[in-house]
Amino acid sequence: NITQLSNFLNIEFSSLDHNDIREILSSLEHISEQALILIENILEWSRIERCLIQPVFNTICIDDLFNHAINLHKSLAKHKRIKIIKEVELDECILCDIDMTKTVLRNLISNAIK
């Protein structure tokens, strides 16, 4: 996402106004913070795969999981003129490792945008 958004900014810079540039830079900051979280999650996943730690199961609402993943990709999708539509409102909760589940959803949406 960082690469795609920065490439977009580089290519379209002359056609963007200051508000668009500010929005993209804000998105880049947010996405880079999320990238750090993702890297930490991948490292944690690696430790789990090597049986160094076990998944931590907690209850979370499905809607919260989807909203989190969608919000991370809204800016990039908008700039690519892709609309992310969540057609189902789920107030059900599930028991899962929240970080791992968020990682899976982020990857699915990211790959769909690509």
Side-chain angles (χ1 to χ4, degrees), residues 77-94:
K78 178 181 175 185
H79 291 295
K80 288 187 146 196
R81 294 180 173 90
I82 296 171
K83 189 172 184 180
I84 300 175
I85 300 170
K86 182 179 73 169
E87 294 183 350
V88 180
E89 294 292 329
L90 298 172
D91 59 357
E92 299 287 324
C93 293
I94 60 171

Side-chain angles (χ1 to χ4, degrees), residues 61-72:
C61 291
I62 295 171
D63 198 51
D64 292 341
L65 286 170
F66 278 91
N67 288 337
H68 174 78
I70 290 169
N71 286 335
L72 291 176

Side-chain angles (χ1 to χ4, degrees), residues 2 29-42:
I2 293 171
E29 180 181 11
H30 179 72
I31 292 169
S32 64
E33 290 169 355
Q34 294 304 314
L36 179 59
I37 292 169
L38 178 60
I39 290 168
E40 290 170 351
N41 289 342
I42 291 170

Side-chain angles (χ1 to χ4, degrees), residues 4-80:
Q4 291 173 340
L5 201 51
S6 60
N7 284 342
F8 176 81
L9 180 61
N10 191 36
I11 292 167
E12 300 293 331
F13 186 81
S14 60
S15 66
L16 299 171
D17 65 27
H18 290 294
N19 290 334
D20 289 335
I21 293 170
R22 186 170 306 281
E23 182 181 331
I24 292 169
L25 290 173
S26 177
S27 295
L28 281 168
E29 180 181 11
H30 179 72
I31 292 169
S32 64
E33 290 169 355
Q34 294 304 314
L36 179 59
I37 292 169
L38 178 60
I39 290 168
E40 290 170 351
N41 289 342
I42 291 170
L43 290 172
E44 184 175 340
W45 195 326
S46 171
R47 288 188 290 268
I48 290 169
E49 287 294 312
R50 295 181 303 169
C51 299
L52 299 177
I53 61 173
Q54 296 297 315
V56 177
F57 294 96
N58 289 300
T59 302
I60 187 167
C61 291
I62 295 171
D63 198 51
D64 292 341
L65 286 170
F66 278 91
N67 288 337
H68 174 78
I70 290 169
N71 286 335
L72 291 176
H73 295 88
K74 274 186 179 177
S75 295
L76 180 59
K78 178 181 175 185
H79 291 295
K80 288 187 146 196

